[in-house]
Amino acid sequence: MTLQATVDLLERLIAYPTVSTDSNLELILDLSGRMQSLGARTHIFGDETGTKATLFASLGPDQPGGILLSGHSDVVPVTDQDWTSDPFEMRRADGLLYGRGTCDMKGFIAASIVMAERYAAMPLKRPVHFAFTYDEETGCLGAQALIPELNRLGIKPDIAIIGEPTEMRVIEGHKGCCEYTTRFEGLEGHGSSPELGVNAAEYAVRYVTRLMELRGDLRARTPIGSRFDPPYTTINIGRVQGGHAHNVIVGKAEVDWEFRPVQDSDMRFVKSAMEAFVTDELLPQMRAVYPQADIAMETVGEVPGLEPMTENAARDLMATLLGANSAGVVPFGTEAGLFQQMGMDVILCGPGSIAQAHKPDEFVSLDQLEMCLGMLERLGDRLV
């Protein structure tokens, strides 16, 4: 009965096309109404545009601590993907449920909401919280906006379970993800007199070269016993653009780049190294020729990693609930590090496989949903 209710709700959630570029408000209002009908304390936190929102709801005693169940409501686009059926109409076949977001991660959201009905009827001694965010796929914007709101309200769960698709394996670590666009403003001129201009493309190349040099430094900073693959912080150059003719000094250039830190100290190391390089070397040389020259770095997104901890109550709890004797790490990023920075013990564990996420014909299996519901049911027994 619980599984069927979860499947029915998942079908409803899939019908909301909550692609990150579009609104998620209808889905959030739907979930909010369901939680309010159970007597939950609910908060809706909207973004500046008024088109996106996060739902935060709580059941049980209004006191510090408790368990947080969290998932993002947004999904990636289906543009140019070859789907067998409408990605926003859930299709059932051979024990699999197909549709955009089935595993990433509306399956977990549906299971959590259905189990909330059971929690609401129980004499909970600890609160259980629910956070359903927006724009995880484009920089974890909803979760980043949620953290200060929780601090303002004095809400701080002890444990957070992020229901990303892990095939119900316990995951205790992942790298962070920091994405930037750096823009170079130089002085155009004729290519025959390069000394009279400031070639933005040349400075962009030097900037990229410095980033590539940092790769060796980051390898040397590999944490002892790092379980990530590769075990060190990586840097990637995604795009370099500038100029429009062979014989014109480039006036403007851009570099898109990212790095994935295995530890918070690497985030500070990379940013401070690049800031010093720009301030001490590149800008003085550019402005010696053209005082209005500039280099500006736009932060597209900065999401901390989930650092494996020696002591982790969330990991220990999940080991009990699932009978797991180990916890792993994954290469993809999530909102988990934001909750960890708030002081919670955090793990990832949810139905479905990341191998299906973002692809055409995304699916979650009924077996995985049933395992998730079983875990959530046993969790409820530990809250009374």
Side-chain angles (χ1 to χ4, degrees):
M1 192 71 175
T2 304
L3 177 60
Q4 186 58 54
T6 302
V7 171
D8 292 343
L9 179 54
L10 178 56
E11 183 172 29
R12 182 178 178 88
L13 298 183
I14 295 304
Y16 291 111
T18 52
V19 176
S20 299
T21 52
D22 302 322
S23 175
N24 73 334
L25 284 182
E26 288 190 37
L27 180 147
I28 290 298
L29 292 175
D30 186 340
L31 297 183
S32 177
R34 291 170 183 269
M35 294 302 293
Q36 287 176 0
S37 71
L38 300 177
R41 303 178 295 279
T42 62
H43 302 272
I44 294 179
F45 303 110
D47 75 343
E48 294 179 352
T49 71
T51 63
K52 309 282 185 74
T54 288
L55 170 65
F56 191 88
S58 304
L59 291 168
D62 188 3
Q63 65 186 41
I67 309 291
L68 171 64
L69 303 176
S70 181
H72 62 81
S73 65
D74 61 314
V75 298
V76 297
V78 298
T79 307
D80 296 327
Q81 291 189 341
D82 187 15
W83 283 72
T84 303
S85 56
D86 187 334
F88 298 108
E89 290 185 10
M90 194 179 77
R91 177 170 62 91
R92 315 178 194 196
D94 301 321
L96 305 178
L97 307 176
Y98 293 89
R100 173 56 85 225
T102 46
C103 77
D104 189 21
M105 51 185 297
K106 291 179 178 178
F108 179 79
I109 293 175
S112 299
I113 292 292
V114 168
M115 289 306 302
E117 299 177 12
R118 180 174 184 270
Y119 297 161
M122 299 170 66
L124 300 177
K125 295 180 181 178
R126 301 170 65 188
V128 56
H129 307 282
F130 304 80
F132 304 127
T133 61
Y134 62 89
D135 286 359
E136 187 269 352
E137 300 287 4
T138 55
C140 298
L141 304 183
Q144 293 194 65
L146 173 64
I147 300 302
E149 295 290 353
L150 296 184
N151 287 328
R152 179 179 61 83
L153 293 170
I155 298 175
K156 184 182 176 183
D158 297 319
I159 286 173
I161 300 169
I162 315 299
E164 290 280 357
T166 68
E167 299 177 281
M168 293 306 296
R169 294 181 299 118
V170 181
I171 301 299
E172 63 177 341
H174 65 70
K175 294 183 181 182
C177 184
C178 302
E179 299 181 343
Y180 308 94
T181 295
T182 304
R183 297 182 174 88
F184 301 79
E185 186 86 26
L187 177 63
E188 287 189 344
H190 198 284
S192 63
S193 301
E195 74 281 359
L196 299 181
V198 176
N199 195 313
E202 292 182 8
Y203 284 94
V205 169
R206 291 177 59 185
Y207 189 89
V208 168
T209 300
R210 179 67 182 122
L211 284 170
M212 295 173 69
E213 291 171 352
L214 288 177
R215 289 174 173 172
D217 297 330
L218 291 168
R219 285 178 180 246
R221 292 170 57 89
T222 302
I224 296 174
S226 174
R227 295 150 58 197
F228 293 106
D229 183 19
Y232 45 82
T233 294
T234 58
I235 293 179
N236 181 65
I237 312 302
R239 180 181 67 97
V240 181
Q241 180 176 315
H244 24 240
H246 292 78
N247 60 350
V248 177
I249 297 171
V250 179
K252 295 184 178 181
E254 292 186 356
V255 176
D256 289 345
W257 60 285
E258 59 134 43
F259 69 99
R260 298 185 178 246
V262 298
Q263 53 192 348
D264 283 346
S265 59
D266 282 355
M267 182 184 296
R268 295 188 294 271
F269 173 76
V270 171
K271 291 186 68 175
S272 62
M274 295 310 296
E275 288 169 3
F277 183 57
V278 168
T279 301
D280 299 340
E281 294 190 40
L282 298 188
L283 273 180
Q285 294 172 23
M286 296 172 73
R287 289 175 175 171
V289 177
Y290 180 54
Q292 287 74 43
D294 196 23
I295 299 174
M297 186 177 79
E298 175 192 352
T299 299
V300 178
E302 288 182 337
V303 182
L306 175 62
E307 293 197 39
M309 308 297 289
T310 302
E311 296 183 3
N312 186 331
R315 179 191 61 213
D316 297 342
L317 172 63
M318 294 302 291
T320 301
L321 297 178
L322 293 170
N325 55 17
S326 64
V329 299
V330 291
F332 59 88
T334 76
E335 300 167 331
L338 295 165
F339 294 116
Q340 186 180 59
Q341 285 192 342
M342 192 179 171
M344 304 181 208
D345 285 357
V346 187
I347 56 91
L348 310 180
C349 185
S353 169
I354 196 65
Q356 305 305 325
H358 299 194
K359 294 181 178 180
D361 290 342
E362 175 184 345
F363 68 80
V364 69
S365 71
L366 291 172
D367 288 345
Q368 285 282 301
L369 284 180
E370 198 161 27
M371 288 178 63
C372 181
L373 289 166
M375 178 273 288
L376 293 172
E377 184 172 2
R378 292 187 290 274
L379 173 64
D381 294 337
R382 300 180 69 87
L383 296 173
V384 296

